[in-house]
Amino acid sequence: MANIWTIAVHELRRLFRSCSMLINLFLLPILLIFLLGSALSSVMGGGKDQTIESFRVGIVDAGNPAERSQLIGNFLKSPQVAEIITAETAESREAAVSGVRSGQYGYAVIVPAGFDKDMVTGKEAKLEYILGKNRTDNMIAGTVFDNFLGSINYKQAAAMTLGPQAISAMTESGQGNPAAVLGKLNDGAPAYTASQYYAAAMLLMFLLLCGQMVITSLYSEKDNHTLFRIGSMPVKGRELFIGKMLGIGLVSVLQCASIIVATRFLFGVYWGNRPGLLMLVCLLMIFASLTLSVIISMFVRSAALARAVLSGLTVVMTFMSGGMAPLPDAWVNTGGAFSINHWGMKGILRMMLESPWAQISGSIGMLSLICLVLGSMAFFSYRKVGYHA
């Protein structure tokens, strides 16, 4: 054990004597977080609450004046809907499309002929939507009219099954419900900002890159032919191996702590209310990085190639997890799930939102499983290949 700590202290001294290493470990991550958080704050929305602003919607009733839908008219006149949507009558579908393209309407709805009659006869209610240029307006309008259709179809099904009295009961219980509201990902905590998002992403990326120190240290002993001398001393190979990883792991812990503390006090990054779980995620990421670098070192002949492989894997996994730019959830939750960063990002962002333990435990469990697999692979690769000249 004494040999392991002696080697670990030697690694600490060697690393802290290198000015370039200190800059790359402690200054570069903080600088990147500042630049990305400032430049892309508009993309993330800054964590501020948004309000629903009223916009114009073109309404086209395909029926003749005597058969125009009273249900749609009453719905659009309701106070909850009128606060969000300003309904304007369009003469035809072509006029509605032209109005949407010119910006006159933010959205358009085509009501089929005989809409109310179809409802009375038990047919399914359907509307045609024409999307506008504003994504938020499209989402809000779609939510409003989808809720309207869902409510009508549900009441119709209830009336056919339970009788006409079911409609009046549901109408009384549903009074005052808003057509659409904006909420938060997690009540009681603000949405994460761009600085928080990229602080988590850059923290995990640089923790993975700390494995390059392991590669450099292991290959330097071989390239400088000092491994022969160490082998002649009463030092076992595994003690040298573990000592180097322990020393570099301690440096990585200091790097992690400096990034968290600096971003908290310099940029106001809120890391959540679970420091213990945050520390656990960081330790698992460090262990994953160290073991991954060991596996690469055991099977790659040169230090330059090993560093290139680790850097390439880190960049690819950071991109797949959405660490370089927010990606669609469908991609992040499929392809991104195969990256180590994905589970670390997911866990840390949930902590920033003060989510319950049930939403965080899955990420920590997957990280632990990944570390177990990488640790086993590193152990067996060391037993098979060994650390020798």
Side-chain angles (χ1 to χ4, degrees), residues 151-344:
S151 176
I152 287 180
N153 289 322
Y154 178 71
K155 290 178 181 178
Q156 184 186 61
M160 295 177 65
T161 304
L162 303 176
Q165 66 275 9
I167 296 180
S168 59
M170 287 187 293
T171 302
E172 293 177 0
S173 62
Q175 289 179 351
N177 291 335
V181 294
L182 283 177
K184 295 180 179 180
L185 290 175
N186 189 60
D187 293 336
Y192 52 78
T193 64
S195 295
Q196 286 179 298
Y197 185 86
Y198 286 106
M202 293 300 103
L203 171 64
L204 297 177
M205 186 181 77
F206 277 90
L207 288 182
L208 276 181
L209 286 175
C210 74
Q212 288 197 350
M213 295 185 288
V214 176
I215 294 174
T216 301
S217 180
L218 291 176
Y219 278 95
S220 65
E221 301 292 354
K222 296 181 180 181
D223 297 338
N224 297 331
H225 303 289
T226 54
L227 189 58
F228 290 106
R229 290 184 235 171
I230 297 175
S232 63
M233 299 178 182
V235 178
K236 297 180 180 179
R238 64 174 179 272
E239 292 178 338
L240 174 63
F241 204 74
I242 296 173
K244 285 183 173 293
M245 292 185 62
L246 178 60
I248 295 170
L250 292 174
V251 174
S252 301
V253 171
L254 293 176
Q255 178 195 29
C256 177
S258 67
I259 292 174
I260 294 174
V261 173
T263 53
R264 179 68 182 94
F265 289 99
L266 293 179
F267 313 136
V269 174
Y270 178 67
W271 291 90
N273 58 353
R274 291 184 172 90
L277 292 181
L278 178 62
M279 183 184 302
L280 176 59
V281 170
C282 293
L283 290 176
L284 290 174
M285 288 296 300
I286 292 172
F287 183 81
S289 174
L290 295 177
T291 51
L292 180 61
S293 62
V294 168
I295 296 170
I296 295 173
S297 300
M298 292 296 100
F299 296 99
V300 177
R301 292 184 176 276
S302 65
L305 180 58
R307 285 194 295 266
V309 171
L310 180 61
S311 299
L313 287 175
T314 301
V315 171
V316 170
M317 288 191 292
T318 302
F319 175 78
M320 291 174 60
S321 64
M324 295 183 176
L327 298 175
D329 291 339
W331 165 255
V332 172
N333 292 326
T334 53
F338 291 95
S339 66
I340 305 174
N341 306 56
H342 170 79
W343 301 105

Side-chain angles (χ1 to χ4, degrees), residues 22-37:
L22 294 177
I23 293 174
N24 291 333
L25 288 178
F26 298 99
L27 295 182
L28 185 58
I30 297 172
L31 179 61
L32 280 176
I33 291 169
F34 169 73
L35 293 176
L36 292 173

